[in-house]
Amino acid sequence: MMMQLPETPNQKNSLFNAMNRFIGAVNNMDQTIMVPSLLRDVPLDEERDMAPLKSDMDEGDMYSYYQLLKSIRSDIEWGVRCATADERRKESMKITRTHSSASTSSASSSSSSSSEEEDEEDEDLKKQFQFHLTGLQGVLSKLTQQANCLTKRYKKEIGIGGWGQ
């Protein structure tokens, strides 16, 4: 379990803090929802706060989304499952074969052009990283909000904490 740390204003948009907020929201959800089976067959679209959940899951109930949020938390805390690692390894082998055949055909290029290409690749990697980091932070923010909505909805369904929240 990851401990929540206080965040400074400069760290508000850090990936670590986005993950920390998500894990905290799912932990709160998990501690609040004492009887997850009560979420079975409760549709996602009964409350406007849950509308974003419905767009992400075509069919399902609150229980399946509860399980999904817990699974994502587990993936963040413990890493992605082995099946995904096997898929990545296979994809990596394909990429390696493609790059090795391309590099043998371009071995005769000049060293000055390869230096320029490396600079372009470094810039491209930086842009790719920033793009994916921004996307991941956005997804984590939405998932955090949805875990909080699920917790609130559960409380409403069982009749606790619904006043003024």
Side-chain angles (χ1 to χ4, degrees), residues 3-18:
M3 190 173 104
Q4 282 194 298
L5 302 173
E7 56 186 59
T8 66
N10 293 338
Q11 295 174 322
K12 184 177 181 185
N13 294 321
S14 78
L15 177 61
F16 177 76
N17 284 323

Side-chain angles (χ1 to χ4, degrees), residues 91-106:
E91 187 64 30
S92 175
M93 290 172 57
K94 290 178 188 175
I95 291 171
T96 303
R97 287 184 204 133
T98 304
H99 283 296
S100 64
S101 63
S103 65
T104 56
S105 64
S106 65

Side-chain angles (χ1 to χ4, degrees), residues 44-58 65 68 141-143 145-147 149:
L44 293 172
D45 61 352
E46 284 186 9
E47 188 176 311
R48 66 175 161 74
D49 290 342
M50 298 297 278
L53 300 180
K54 190 63 176 169
S55 65
D56 292 340
M57 290 182 60
D58 293 333
Y65 208 76
L68 176 66
S141 176
K142 287 178 184 177
L143 289 170
Q145 184 178 30
Q146 293 171 352
C149 286

